[in-house]
């Protein structure tokens, strides 16, 4: 996965970052994720990145943030496959789930997003495959 991100960044890092951030923000809107959680999902410590984007600044996202966005996109896609009803697919991320220690997938992820994003994605990919 990181090879693909590095390849895309090498070709056009600003465009890759712009598209990735737009996709991320679109998913966050559909999932109704608060800004503080969005920052954690991106692996950031402040709102600077999202404020810059809202103001139209051209930026290059760190590879780690791009990797996190790719996991989120995979989660979004898997939910769309598992739940043909878009409303159910969008709500799943905030519903309590025994698989995630009784927390919602979102609450589970934001505790340690770098490690838990791949776990949730793997869980959903397994559900799609079965």
């Amino acid at each position: 996965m990181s090879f693909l991100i590095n390849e895309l960044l090498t070709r056009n890092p600003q465009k890759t970052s712009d598209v990735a951030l737009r996709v991320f923000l679109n998913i966050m809107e559909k999932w109704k994720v608060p800004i503080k959680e969005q920052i954690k999902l991106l692996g950031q410590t402040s709102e600077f990145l999202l404020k810059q984007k809202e103001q139209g600044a051209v930026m290059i996202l760190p590879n780690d943030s791009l990797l996190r966005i790719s996991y989120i996109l995979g989660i979004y896609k898997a939910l769309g496959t598992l739940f043909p009803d878009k409303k159910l697919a969008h709500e799943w991320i905030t519903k309590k789930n025994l698989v995630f220690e009784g927390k919602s997938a979102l609450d589970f992820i934001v505790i340690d997003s770098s490690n838990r994003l791949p776990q949730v994605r793997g869980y959903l990919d397994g559900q799609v495959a079965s």
Side-chain angles (χ1 to χ4, degrees):
M1 182 79 66
S2 61
F3 171 77
L4 176 61
I5 289 171
N6 287 333
E7 180 65 25
L8 290 171
L9 279 174
T10 302
R11 289 185 190 166
N12 193 337
Q14 290 176 336
K15 183 169 179 102
T16 301
S17 292
D18 183 56
V19 169
L21 194 52
R22 279 191 281 134
V23 167
F24 173 80
L25 292 172
N26 188 33
I27 292 171
M28 295 299 102
E29 183 179 324
K30 290 178 180 182
W31 286 353
K32 299 179 179 155
V33 176
I35 190 83
K36 288 183 180 182
E37 280 80 7
Q38 291 180 34
I39 298 300
K40 289 178 182 178
L41 290 173
L42 285 173
Q44 301 299 314
T45 56
S46 72
E47 295 180 17
F48 173 78
L49 185 65
L50 293 177
K51 285 185 178 181
Q52 286 288 68
K53 181 59 184 168
E54 289 170 1
Q55 295 170 1
V58 177
M59 61 179 48
I60 298 173
L61 291 172
N63 286 359
D64 179 61
S65 292
L66 289 170
L67 182 59
R68 291 164 185 257
I69 292 171
S70 73
Y71 284 123
I72 290 165
L73 183 56
I75 290 168
Y76 182 82
K77 181 181 176 191
L79 290 172
T81 301
L82 290 168
F83 300 99
D85 179 329
K86 288 183 181 186
K87 185 175 187 269
L88 291 176
H90 296 329
E91 290 174 347
W92 182 90
I93 199 82
T94 56
K95 299 284 183 190
K96 293 188 185 293
N97 192 322
L98 292 177
V99 172
F100 305 117
E101 303 168 357
K103 299 174 178 61
S104 70
L106 179 62
D107 290 340
F108 178 80
I109 291 168
V110 297
I111 292 169
D112 180 9
S113 59
S114 64
N115 290 312
R116 291 187 172 187
L117 273 168
Q119 289 176 2
V120 172
R121 168 116 189 243
Y123 168 75
L124 288 170
D125 287 348
Q127 296 299 305
V128 169
S130 58

